[in-house]
Amino acid sequence: MQQKVAASIREAFPHLNDDDCFSTSMGAHGEDVRLSTAAREVVPLSIECKCVEKINIWGCLEQASKNTPQGASPCLVFTRNHSPVWAVVSWDLLIDL
C-alpha cells in the first residue's frame, strides 16, 4: 500500500518525481512514505500506512506522531481487504486545510 500512496501523491502533483516521494521498505524505521523538501511543501504530512484487517487506531496514531518530523503533521493511511483507503489527520489540521 505504501507504494500506491507514494504513486498517488506523484500523480496528484506531476512536478514531483520518484526521488521526491517514495515508499520505504517494510519494517524500516520512520515514515512509510518519504517526502523531499519540494514534496513536503505541497503535502505537509508524515504518512504512516497500515493494511490490516483490525486496527488499533490509537496505537497507530501514536506511531505516526512519533515518526513525524518537525514541520509536518501526522497522517495515518489505512485499509483492509475489499475496503476503501482511509486517511486520518487531526481535526485542527483538517480545518486549516
Side-chain angles (χ1 to χ4, degrees), residues 2 23-32 34 48-50 63:
Q2 294 171 203
S23 169
T24 60
S25 62
M26 294 296 290
H29 181 70
E31 298 173 287
D32 288 339
R34 296 282 168 92
E48 178 69 31
C49 297
K50 299 291 182 190
Q63 180 182 4

Side-chain angles (χ1 to χ4, degrees), residues 6-96:
S8 68
I9 291 170
R10 290 191 307 271
E11 185 178 314
F13 300 98
H15 68 282
L16 299 177
N17 61 46
D18 291 350
D19 292 333
D20 288 315
C21 179
F22 59 92
S23 169
T24 60
S25 62
M26 294 296 290
H29 181 70
E31 298 173 287
D32 288 339
V33 176
R34 296 282 168 92
L35 302 175
S36 69
T37 302
R40 190 85 68 195
E41 287 178 14
V42 294
V43 182
L45 301 173
S46 176
I47 300 170
E48 178 69 31
C49 297
K50 299 291 182 190
C51 185
V52 294
E53 289 301 307
K54 291 189 177 191
I55 189 166
N56 173 350
I57 193 85
W58 297 112
C60 292
L61 287 171
E62 182 179 335
Q63 180 182 4
S65 295
K66 285 181 181 178
N67 291 332
T68 300
Q70 187 172 4
S73 298
C75 177
L76 172 61
V77 179
F78 65 96
T79 190
R80 64 180 178 180
N81 290 329
H82 313 294
S83 294
V85 176
W86 294 89
V88 177
V89 296
S90 73
W91 181 252
D92 291 339
L93 176 62
L94 184 63
I95 293 298
D96 287 345

